[in-house]
Amino acid sequence: MMKHIFQQGQDPNAPTLLLLHGTGGTEQDLLGIGKMISTQPSLLSVRGNVLESGMPRFFRRLAEGVFDEEDLIFRTEELNQFLDDSAQEYQFDRNNVIAVGYSNGANIAGSLLFHFQDSLKGAILFHPMVPRRGIDLPDLNGTSVFIGAGKNDPMCPPEESEELKVLLESAGAKVQLHWEHQGHQLTIGEVEKAKEWFKLGF
């Protein structure tokens, strides 16, 4: 089981927002961001099951920017199963889930897209990296992705965001890439752009 918060939304037909924090965050972190994006959807905010020096994460890494692929695959399966179980428990549409992830949370959301067809209807990825290379992605036709990235992000170079966009598009996803200049910080500007993306029906 994963520690989480579920908040029932105002519109049962709106997508459920799956909120995924960055390294050292908790299930409280992105609740405000979720509500900024839209007040209508239900929110499912999850805490990562891995600890690194006492800081929650969604999967292990071997060094900064170097993922433990075996653990990434295991934790991605775990999160996908958690979504299946939560959809039954909270009675939301499993095929209508949009992930909202920042940094490590964006990486696990990206990994869901890379490994499981129809795991997400769409995703808002703030400062993500490419989760894995050299694998065939599932058919992502009908999947929309918003990427918020930093031109001067020291943890996630611009080339990484461009590569992720190309990989997702080559699998059929529709991708919007928005640039900021505030390093690895999650900015109001990119949240506002994500809100627009969501409002326009992504």
Side-chain angles (χ1 to χ4, degrees), residues 10-100:
Q10 297 173 21
D11 180 358
N13 297 314
T16 296
L17 297 185
L18 169 68
L19 307 178
L20 303 163
H21 62 76
T23 299
T26 72
E27 64 277 24
Q28 302 282 346
D29 278 25
L30 295 186
L31 290 170
I33 300 291
K35 286 171 184 158
M36 280 176 71
I37 289 166
S38 177
T39 57
Q40 301 303 307
S42 295
L43 304 178
L44 177 61
S45 192
V46 187
R47 184 189 297 195
N49 266 347
V50 171
L51 286 178
E52 180 185 281
S53 305
M55 298 186 297
R57 279 177 57 85
F58 286 98
F59 58 88
R60 287 199 296 265
R61 57 184 169 182
L62 306 174
E64 192 168 295
V66 184
F67 301 161
D68 180 334
E69 280 206 3
E70 197 177 318
D71 192 59
L72 172 65
I73 294 163
F74 174 77
R75 298 297 174 182
T76 304
E77 287 176 358
E78 178 184 58
L79 181 57
N80 195 54
Q81 184 61 54
F82 171 77
L83 283 173
D84 292 348
D85 296 343
S86 296
Q88 288 193 321
E89 183 179 351
Y90 297 114
Q91 298 292 296
F92 62 80
D93 182 354
R94 178 64 186 86
N95 296 313
N96 197 16
V97 176
I98 305 263
V100 181

